[in-house]
Amino acid sequence: MKNHTSDITQTALVVGANGVIGSNLIAHLSALGNWNIIGLSRRGGVSSPNISYIAVDLLSKENTLQQLGSLSAVTHIFYAAYQDKPTWAQLVEPNLTMLVNVVDAIESIAPNLQHISLMQGYKVYGAHLGPFKTPAKESDAGHMPPEFNVDQQNFLEQRQQGKNWSWSAIRPSVVGGTALGNPMNLVLLIAVYASISKELGIPLRFPGKPGAYDKLMEMTDAGLLAKATVWAATSRNCANQAFNINNGDLFRWNEMWPKIARFFDMETAPPLQMPLQTVMADKAQVWEKIQEKYGLEKHPYEQLSYWGFGDFVFSWDYDFFADGSKARRFGFHEYADTEQMFMDLFTDLRNRKIIP
Ligand SMILES: NC(=O)c1ccc[n+]([C@@H]2O[C@H](COP(=O)([O-])OP(=O)(O)OC[C@H]3O[C@@H](n4cnc5c(N)ncnc54)[C@H](OP(=O)(O)O)[C@@H]3O)[C@@H](O)[C@H]2O)c1
């Protein structure tokens, strides 16, 4: 790996480099200009002077040790890899294994390791199980396992005992970003759903549970999240702490949905609950027609639309938000306007010819 300037002393290992979260982290670290960056994922990537991509299967201990064996310069690990599985219990084993494999590989060879940042989410608060206490606070009581985020944090807390490095845990709400080929990308999912609805000449209907339309909701912009993650990883007072990171405003789909429709120049109609995983399963041909008609990039339909995630998010007929004041008390004061975030991300997808 090359040092693009001689005064760079920090090396970030971004684990999950192509993710909705990891790709924005790399963009932010790169813009800061004072980091060497190494990105890990199975797909790898095209390296540039200050970013090296390494293809590795973190589920394999052997492959991880082999591919990471020379990364002795790493000072910060930003862990944002994720393996999707059908049940909450099944998420634990692969997601814990990947984290353990990375820490095992790096800790023994990187003498200047300073920090391990762990990307979590509101599952720590049981948000995926049903109505949970809102606003959720970092100090809230735990819930019945299994839950992979909790196991990952427990592992880091134990491993850190007596070490020179520290950890932080970052807890975003649903993340808004524009990476492709990821199971949890709500903005892209809504954009594809809207484009197909428009092509079929039907209004933009909220497809979730009736009660989900008017509950309080919040999101986390991936760019804001990247800033907060680096801030927590490099601020002494954040050592061994967890932080909720959200945009700082709340919304209800009943107000946001018509604004989204307006962006796509569409009408809305009353919500109609429908499982996206079922009703969108046969729409690949419509999508191909849209791609042809508007000269879009030829990304495969199945890479743009993990409909199960939409069914999950739109089923939350309970308030879904956390208290973001701890991060502010510790010194992170940035925020994002969620409506603007949607419009900016849709515009970005349009400019990149991913949606019409
Ligand atoms: N997205 C959200 O809305 C959201 C919200 C709250 C919390 N979170 C949490 O944030 C974390 C990251 O989520 P995300 O949505 O950014 O995930 P993502 O978009 O699915 O990205 C996951 C990353 O992990 C890599 N990866 C997966 N399996 C791998 C393996 N075996 N070896 C090496 N790399 C592997 C993937 O790249 P390859 O496929 O190329 O390997 C990808 O770069 C998760 O813990 C998630 O629960 C996400």
Side-chain angles (χ1 to χ4, degrees):
M1 191 187 50
K2 289 175 223 156
N3 258 357
H4 63 130
T5 62
S6 55
D7 57 349
I8 292 181
T9 53
Q10 305 181 103
T11 296
L13 183 69
V14 179
V15 188
N18 310 322
V20 178
I21 293 172
S23 58
N24 278 277
L25 250 173
I26 289 185
H28 176 57
L29 288 163
S30 178
L32 288 174
N34 57 345
W35 290 86
N36 275 320
I37 304 158
I38 305 163
L40 304 182
S41 70
R42 285 164 304 182
R43 278 171 281 176
V46 181
S47 297
S48 60
N50 69 325
I51 310 173
S52 308
Y53 288 95
I54 298 177
V56 56
D57 182 0
L58 299 172
L59 287 172
S60 157
K61 186 155 211 87
E62 197 188 353
N63 190 237
T64 306
L65 289 171
Q66 199 174 42
Q67 295 297 84
L68 276 53
S70 64
L71 305 183
S72 55
V74 170
T75 54
H76 294 71
I77 299 175
F78 293 95
Y79 187 88
Y82 176 69
Q83 276 272 317
D84 204 25
K85 292 288 165 200
T87 69
W88 307 128
Q90 283 171 292
L91 284 169
V92 176
E93 202 272 327
N95 285 294
L96 187 58
T97 299
M98 293 198 296
L99 175 65
V100 172
N101 285 346
V102 171
V103 176
D104 280 351
I106 295 298
E107 210 194 8
S108 56
I109 58 161
N112 297 321
L113 181 64
Q114 291 171 32
H115 194 83
I116 303 180
S117 162
L118 173 66
M119 192 55 61
Q120 298 187 310
Y122 293 180
K123 291 190 182 83
V124 169
Y125 304 121
H128 55 304
L129 301 174
F132 62 109
K133 191 217 97 180
T134 51
K137 287 194 175 206
E138 294 86 344
S139 53
D140 284 352
H143 62 85
M144 185 66 79
E147 207 294 290
F148 78 93
N149 293 281
V150 173
D151 284 22
Q152 288 178 326
Q153 183 176 330
N154 288 343
F155 161 73
L156 280 187
E157 283 187 28
Q158 282 164 19
R159 184 59 86 89
Q160 187 273 337
Q161 298 294 316
K163 305 287 170 56
N164 289 329
W165 54 268
S166 58
W167 58 267
S168 57
I170 304 298
R171 300 175 180 169
S173 184
V174 177
V175 174
T178 59
L180 304 180
N182 312 84
M184 296 188 287
N185 188 343
L186 190 68
V187 172
L188 179 60
L189 184 144
I190 292 175
V192 174
Y193 173 72
S195 304
I196 290 177
S197 299
K198 188 173 177 180
E199 185 65 21
L200 295 175
I202 54 178
L204 187 66
R205 273 184 201 272
F206 181 74
K209 272 194 191 169
Y213 204 46
D214 56 13
K215 290 298 178 293
L216 279 172
M217 174 75 194
E218 71 179 358
M219 287 185 64
T220 304
D221 174 74
L224 179 82
L225 181 59
K227 288 182 190 171
T229 304
V230 176
W231 159 77
T234 53
S235 302
R236 229 172 248 280
N237 63 333
C238 298
N240 308 330
Q241 296 284 336
F243 295 98
N244 295 332
I245 299 294
N246 44 50
N247 284 353
D249 58 3
L250 299 175
F251 70 94
R252 300 177 201 275
W253 286 117
N254 62 17
E255 216 183 334
M256 190 65 77
W257 205 252
K259 291 173 178 166
I260 293 173
R262 216 168 300 140
F263 179 91
F264 290 97
D265 203 14
M266 296 171 73
E267 300 291 326
T268 53
L272 177 65
Q273 188 178 358
M274 54 187 145
L276 293 175
Q277 242 176 330
T278 307
V279 300
M280 301 309 285
D282 65 348
K283 302 294 183 295
Q285 280 181 340
V286 184
W287 186 251
E288 281 157 24
K289 197 174 139 201
I290 293 172
Q291 285 181 323
E292 204 60 49
K293 187 166 159 187
Y294 297 96
L296 303 181
E297 298 287 334
K298 294 281 164 54
H299 298 290
Y301 180 65
E302 58 280 4
Q303 274 185 22
L304 298 181
S305 48
Y306 289 86
W307 298 110
F309 186 57
D311 289 334
F312 177 49
V313 172
F314 297 141
S315 75
W316 298 337
D317 53 359
Y318 46 89
D319 290 343
F320 193 98
F321 63 97
D323 182 334
S325 65
K326 181 179 172 188
R328 288 195 290 283
R329 283 196 303 280
F330 277 65
F332 184 75
H333 300 288
E334 300 212 32
Y335 62 92
D337 176 322
T338 302
E339 182 186 336
Q340 192 61 46
M341 176 197 83
F342 268 109
M343 304 312 148
D344 288 349
L345 294 174
F346 291 146
T347 303
D348 181 53
L349 289 169
R350 189 171 273 172
N351 290 342
R352 288 160 58 201
K353 290 197 171 298
I354 292 159
I355 59 162

